[in-house]
Amino acid sequence: MRITLLVFFILLNSLNVFSQGIIRGKVRNPVNNQPVAFANVIVLNTELGAISDENGLYEITDVPAGLYNVKASFVGFRPKTAFEIQVTLSRSVQLDFELQEEASELSEVVVSSEFSRSEETPLSVRKLNANEIERYPGGNRDISRVIQALPGVASTPSFRNDILIRGGAPNENKFFIDEIEVPVINHFATQGSSGGPVGILNVNLIKNVDLIAGGFPANRMDAMSSFFEFQLKEGRRDKMATQLTVGASELTLSNEGPIGEKTTYLLSARRSYLQGLFKLLDLPFLPTFNDFQLKTTTKLNDKTELTFLGVGAIDKFVLNQNLPDGESEEELENRLYLLDVLPIQNQWNYTTGMKLKRFRENGFWTFVLSRNMLNNYSEKYAGNDESSPDNLLFNYLSQESENKFRAENSIFKDGFTVKYGVNYEYSRYYIKNFDRSTLASSGEVINVESTTNYNLYGAFISASKNFYQERLLISGGIRMDGGDFAKTAKNPLNQVSPRVSFSYQLKPNLFATANAGIYYQKPSYTVLGYQENDGELINQLTDVRYIRNSQLITGIELLVPDKNRRFTAEVFYKKYSNYPSSVRNGISLANLGADFGVIGNEPVESNSQGRAYGLEVLAQQRLFNDFYGIAALTLVRSEFTNPNTEGFIPSSWDNRIIVSLTAGKRFGNNWEIGARWRYLGGTPYTPYDYEASSLISSWDLRNQPILDYSQINAVRLKGFHQMDLRLDKKYYFPKWSLNWYVDIQNAYNYQAEQPPLLVPVRDNSGNILVDPNDPSRYQLKYLQNPAGTILPTIGIIVDF
């Protein structure tokens, strides 16, 4: 028996030694889709390589399993490096390259494009590839968490994925997948904002992601803090392949392959079992989510390519009213409070879209047609008692649906890059809202049902050109946007958005950069479609405006291509105007923060001002000598005005200091370890109004305390820090591969300070006690509400 086992392990090891991987793909010119023949494709730090044939095809054989950087180059073209390409024994790697032609043949000013500097956005762009996303410590394969390693990106210590860029709100970001806009990328998203506890996108399908935090290209619209450009992989052209991922909270199945000679597909489906896990942990809320993704790519001919995309999610959020034994008095009070305030929520969303790309000799047309929809339902009964309609506090249903078309023409000629295009959107907003808690103090009940439709339109033109032997790059553009949701917004001339960027090459790999621009974003549909009981669109009557944001950015960038390193430092200033503020509370919506539920479903006026400014520093080491790392420091101030206060006060996103340190090391036998440490300065918050909250008439209608808006963001939390660790081990076999990992979030179990809870005092039977000194009031008390717990995750990824 021992001899048999010994022989088995010898054979197993010999399979890993003698079986070899393959890298194959195509090299092409992205301007006209022509193949680049006789290009050199080499596996860096090895003797392996190949030359593309007349069709741009290449194949590198006998590649040992592992992680590599692969570089493609050809005379007259800018070289391109693909970082951290995972080679297995079970299937070949499909790796395509796009090489852009050089405008100059002067070698002393030609810069390696290892970090892919863009002419249109030469600054404020950060890139992550598939392996960086997958192995990120504490990310748990969630892209919304991974991008928190980048400069200027803040997050919250709570159970959410809110993305805060350079002091801006979560709803100031836009997401594009293969150039198709996808409004929602998180489960249980906050309507009128963004974020949520878990990302929708399956990282198995992502090729890379670009975060554009400033200097926005003119063909992107309706955002003020960032654009995320996700590029999905193209399905395999040779044969079908499958990946199975089992994590602590979900099961994911991915599949890809060819459909005939011209079409490939990617398909992913995920099912969570969080509800069962949370029930075992006796948590008061039980979430369940499902999501799917589909991409097909069809090469109609050498000059025409059609891409189809489908992304969707189904989310359910119910309450666990079982009270476990053994809880302390404080834990029980916290649980009862959460059960009193958390609603039942059902949400689903989807995006479908098609992109047609038509190439010609000096450029291409891009046509994008898409539709997306968000359905958001929530309800809450007093005491969670559904036996009587009189107990209903609120019942909310809304739907946002958008139909979008965009046409763009890209021209590359005589050293110029010129783009122009138009876009149109027809959207529908439906709301059915019964609410007797929000206006409880005035005795009013909200009871509305309405449908509103909107037309949005825009156009842009942009151009870029290198001067002084390619040392100076100037790019600029202008766009106009309009919408029929209010009088001022109808005229696109009221929303003219000019922008210009400069990049000057001080030394071969040292650049000085600058940008100035004005950007507009429409208010959320919850603001645009708000109606009171008389059926009037209140915010349309008050002429709600596009939110305006003026930005100035300057910085410096140093590239060290031979060591895969990049250093950047940028100073930014953002000025907001026309920001909506709440008529009820007299505060800017920027100071409402973000939580589960709905933001903006109320009367507003476009009279709030804001500003955000700061410094970002980044040091990025791509995989080199089996080491990688990212160090990012951000100093930021975010401030807004409110109608009921004087001057600027800190916004809900005013972290002030953000530090993120991420590093990893690969060892022999396919072991890898990584760590991330982050620190975020404490954000301000608004305390509760004890006197108003303790009134029995108010608490019985709201089941939660009332904020004291006369002290808007007057108290600041302590800073928050956390260490995340990850350990990976990979095994390669001829027919399949295995990767198991251990991911530990908050390894030293730091308890982050959160705003304290104001909860009622109860007797042993759970009844709320009346204040003996004032029978019109309940007895309330404050409870500490720390966030954070050590969270280990074990995952298994199988490729076959």
Side-chain angles (χ1 to χ4, degrees):
M1 181 65 179
R2 292 179 180 177
I3 296 177
T4 303
L5 288 174
L6 179 62
V7 171
F8 173 77
F9 282 112
I10 291 176
L11 289 174
L12 186 63
N13 286 330
S14 67
L15 288 173
N16 280 279
V17 171
F18 295 108
S19 298
Q20 302 293 302
I22 298 172
I23 303 175
R24 62 164 64 103
K26 185 174 184 178
V27 185
R28 68 181 185 90
N29 185 335
V31 170
N32 53 27
N33 207 38
Q34 291 292 326
V36 179
F38 311 114
N40 291 302
V41 184
I42 60 173
V43 181
L44 297 179
N45 300 317
T46 73
E47 301 296 325
L48 302 171
I51 298 176
S52 62
D53 62 19
E54 62 274 12
N55 296 315
L57 302 175
Y58 75 93
E59 180 175 285
I60 304 174
T61 58
D62 299 327
V63 184
L67 206 60
Y68 300 94
N69 297 334
V70 184
K71 183 175 182 178
S73 61
F74 187 64
V75 176
F77 288 77
R78 297 177 185 175
K80 187 72 173 289
T81 299
F83 292 92
E84 303 184 36
I85 302 304
Q86 184 70 64
V87 177
T88 68
L89 309 179
S90 57
R91 60 189 184 190
S92 63
V93 175
Q94 182 172 289
L95 180 61
D96 297 336
F97 285 94
E98 295 181 348
L99 299 186
Q100 294 183 325
E101 291 187 73
E102 290 278 13
S104 170
E105 296 180 0
L106 300 178
S107 60
E108 64 269 24
V109 298
V110 173
V111 183
S112 173
S113 59
E114 309 302 291
F115 284 91
S116 302
R117 304 182 79 253
S118 167
E119 287 188 2
E120 219 174 353
T121 53
L123 77 172
S124 302
V125 178
R126 321 298 184 190
K127 294 177 177 288
L128 292 171
N129 62 36
N131 264 287
E132 290 173 307
I133 295 169
E134 287 199 37
R135 61 149 185 254
Y136 183 73
N140 202 20
R141 298 169 53 81
D142 188 337
I143 184 63
S144 296
R145 296 185 182 274
V146 173
I147 60 176
Q148 295 171 11
L150 301 177
V153 183
S155 59
T156 59
S158 60
F159 187 54
R160 291 185 59 79
N161 275 352
D162 295 301
I163 302 171
L164 315 173
I165 309 290
R166 292 183 171 178
N171 66 337
E172 296 177 19
N173 311 305
K174 281 289 184 291
F175 310 97
F176 288 81
I177 300 179
D178 287 329
E179 300 186 74
I180 298 171
E181 184 179 345
V182 178
V184 180
I185 66 164
N186 282 296
H187 292 281
F188 304 101
T190 301
Q191 191 174 1
S193 183
S194 70
V198 182
I200 290 175
L201 304 181
N202 180 1
V203 300
N204 299 342
L205 277 57
I206 297 175
K207 181 178 180 181
N208 52 56
V209 56
D210 290 356
L211 164 59
I212 306 173
F216 306 135
N219 66 340
R220 294 293 181 257
M221 73 297 289
D222 204 30
M224 300 180 296
S225 281
S226 74
F227 290 91
F228 287 85
E229 301 283 349
F230 296 92
Q231 184 181 0
L232 299 187
K233 303 172 184 176
E234 184 179 326
R236 297 187 64 86
R237 296 185 289 265
D238 53 357
K239 63 178 181 179
M240 186 177 71
T242 302
Q243 184 178 74
L244 177 67
T245 304
V246 181
S249 60
E250 75 276 340
L251 173 68
T252 307
L253 182 66
S254 306
N255 186 260
E256 60 176 306
I259 306 175
E261 296 183 358
K262 296 184 177 182
T263 302
T264 61
Y265 73 93
L266 289 171
L267 177 64
S268 167
R270 178 166 56 169
R271 169 71 175 178
S272 80
Y273 36 84
L274 269 179
Q275 191 173 86
L277 178 63
F278 279 29
K279 197 167 186 178
L280 288 174
L281 297 174
D282 288 321
L283 295 179
F285 48 89
L286 305 175
T288 301
F289 63 84
N290 304 273
D291 56 54
F292 64 87
Q293 293 174 71
L294 171 66
K295 175 186 175 180
T296 65
T297 304
T298 303
K299 313 286 186 180
L300 299 175
N301 53 52
D302 291 340
K303 293 294 185 181
T304 310
E305 180 179 290
L306 179 65
T307 301
F308 172 82
L309 177 72
V311 179
I314 303 173
D315 307 324
K316 293 185 177 181
F317 189 99
V318 299
L319 300 179
N320 179 13
Q321 299 189 52
N322 296 324
L323 300 180
D325 298 327
E327 283 193 322
S328 67
E329 181 180 348
E330 185 169 302
E331 289 174 332
L332 180 60
E333 289 175 331
N334 195 319
R335 174 183 293 273
L336 291 173
Y337 171 79
L338 290 176
L339 289 173
D340 275 346
V341 300
L342 288 176
I344 294 173
Q345 183 178 7
N346 292 324
Q347 188 179 102
W348 53 261
N349 71 84
Y350 69 82
T351 298
T352 58
M354 292 187 297
K355 179 182 71 173
L356 181 68
K357 206 164 188 177
R358 176 65 179 172
F359 293 91
R360 57 183 185 279
E361 189 59 34
N362 66 337
F364 50 84
W365 276 96
T366 304
F367 302 96
V368 178
L369 180 65
S370 66
R371 173 177 170 81
N372 58 265
M373 187 171 180
L374 169 68
N375 185 95
N376 190 23
Y377 174 79
S378 60
E379 68 176 20
K380 185 65 180 179
Y381 284 83
N384 299 309
D385 181 4
E386 302 179 18
S387 62
S388 172
D390 294 336
N391 294 331
L392 182 64
L393 297 176
F394 67 83
N395 182 291
Y396 177 89
L397 171 65
S398 77
Q399 296 177 340
E400 299 176 5
S401 56
E402 299 174 328
N403 304 278
K404 302 178 181 181
F405 173 76
R406 193 172 79 248
E408 300 177 6
N409 188 16
S410 302
I411 304 170
F412 306 86
K413 190 174 183 181
D414 300 328
F416 283 91
T417 298
V418 178
K419 296 184 179 181
Y420 63 87
V422 296
N423 62 279
Y424 171 74
E425 176 183 327
Y426 175 74
S427 57
R428 170 184 174 272
Y429 177 68
Y430 168 79
I431 182 171
K432 183 178 181 181
N433 186 26
F434 173 84
D435 186 340
R436 65 185 184 94
S437 61
T438 301
L439 303 179
S441 59
S442 63
E444 295 183 56
V445 175
I446 298 173
N447 191 4
V448 298
E449 181 176 7
S450 67
T451 300
T452 50
N453 298 285
Y454 305 99
N455 295 279
L456 304 169
Y457 34 85
F460 79 94
I461 185 169
S462 64
S464 60
K465 178 77 166 68
N466 285 286
F467 299 91
Y468 300 113
Q469 299 178 329
E470 293 200 35
R471 294 188 184 278
L472 174 64
L473 168 66
I474 301 177
S475 61
I478 188 169
R479 71 168 297 115
M480 296 185 296
D481 291 284
D484 61 0
F485 56 81
K487 181 180 178 181
T488 300
K490 286 182 179 180
N491 187 352
L493 295 177
N494 292 327
Q495 292 84 225
V496 177
S497 307
R499 75 250 357 236
V500 62
S501 296
F502 302 90
S503 176
Y504 186 74
Q505 187 180 38
L506 302 172
K507 292 183 178 181
N509 291 303
L510 181 63
F511 301 85
T513 56
N515 167 265
I518 298 174
Y519 312 104
Y520 286 91
Q521 181 175 338
K522 73 177 185 298
S524 64
Y525 287 111
T526 53
V527 169
L528 301 183
Y530 175 73
Q531 295 186 21
E532 294 188 343
N533 295 337
D534 57 10
E536 289 188 309
L537 292 168
I538 302 300
N539 297 325
Q540 181 176 335
L541 294 177
T542 57
D543 195 23
V544 65
R545 308 289 183 89
Y546 271 90
I547 307 171
R548 188 178 191 266
N549 186 230
S550 304
Q551 296 189 17
L552 293 173
I553 308 169
T554 185
I556 195 166
E557 178 181 22
L558 173 65
L559 301 178
V560 188
D562 58 332
K563 294 184 179 180
N564 301 345
R565 292 175 186 167
R566 181 192 194 194
F567 302 91
T568 65
E570 291 186 0
V571 178
F572 61 89
Y573 182 86
K574 300 161 65 175
K575 181 180 180 182
Y576 295 85
S577 56
N578 301 338
Y579 212 97
S581 68
S582 169
V583 174
R584 293 172 184 160
N585 304 317
I587 65 167
S588 173
L589 295 191
N591 292 324
L592 284 179
D595 207 340
F596 300 100
V598 179
I599 288 179
N601 186 37
E602 58 181 305
V604 303
E605 293 182 353
S606 299
N607 58 1
S608 176
Q609 310 293 315
R611 62 190 181 192
Y613 52 93
L615 166 70
E616 290 179 1
V617 179
L618 167 71
Q620 183 177 5
Q621 171 71 70
R622 284 269 173 77
L623 183 66
F624 183 75
N625 289 340
D626 291 328
F627 174 81
Y628 60 86
I630 299 177
L633 167 67
T634 303
L635 304 176
V636 61
R637 289 291 185 93
S638 177
E639 303 167 325
F640 278 81
T641 63
N642 300 292
N644 67 349
T645 61
E646 294 183 3
F648 287 91
I649 65 169
S651 78
S652 297
W653 327 115
D654 186 45
N655 288 96
R656 301 206 169 176
I657 182 170
I658 307 166
V659 180
S660 179
L661 306 175
T662 306
K665 173 70 175 175
R666 297 179 65 241
F667 298 93
N669 295 321
N670 303 308
W671 287 92
E672 183 174 332
I673 189 170
R676 177 188 71 157
W677 184 83
R678 60 177 173 141
Y679 174 86
L680 289 91
T683 53
Y685 71 93
T686 303
Y688 291 118
D689 185 334
Y690 186 94
E691 295 301 317
S693 301
S694 62
L695 288 171
I696 293 177
S697 58
S698 174
W699 190 274
D700 285 346
L701 281 172
R702 298 173 57 88
N703 274 263
Q704 57 185 316
I706 299 172
L707 294 173
D708 183 0
Y709 288 117
S710 67
Q711 301 187 63
I712 181 71
N713 285 347
V715 187
R716 186 176 289 272
L717 299 170
K718 295 178 181 178
F720 156 76
H721 52 87
Q722 177 174 310
M723 171 72 79
D724 302 322
L725 302 172
R726 178 165 170 138
L727 175 68
D728 280 81
K729 169 64 175 174
K730 294 181 172 66
Y731 301 87
Y732 302 106
F733 306 104
K735 299 294 184 181
W736 62 290
S737 61
L738 171 68
N739 173 199
W740 63 260
Y741 65 88
V742 178
D743 188 285
I744 304 175
Q745 298 180 46
N746 196 16
Y748 50 73
N749 198 28
Y750 183 80
Q751 300 291 297
E753 184 185 25
Q754 294 280 76
L757 303 176
L758 183 59
V759 303
V761 179
R762 301 175 184 269
D763 60 20
N764 294 332
S765 300
N767 300 311
I768 302 177
L769 298 180
V770 176
D771 187 343
N773 300 318
D774 187 348
S776 67
R777 298 180 182 277
Y778 284 133
Q779 294 184 44
L780 303 181
K781 67 176 182 179
Y782 286 96
L783 280 182
Q784 296 303 309
N785 181 36
T789 183
I790 186 170
L791 183 60
T793 300
I794 299 176
I796 299 173
I797 305 171
V798 181
D799 286 285
F800 54 92

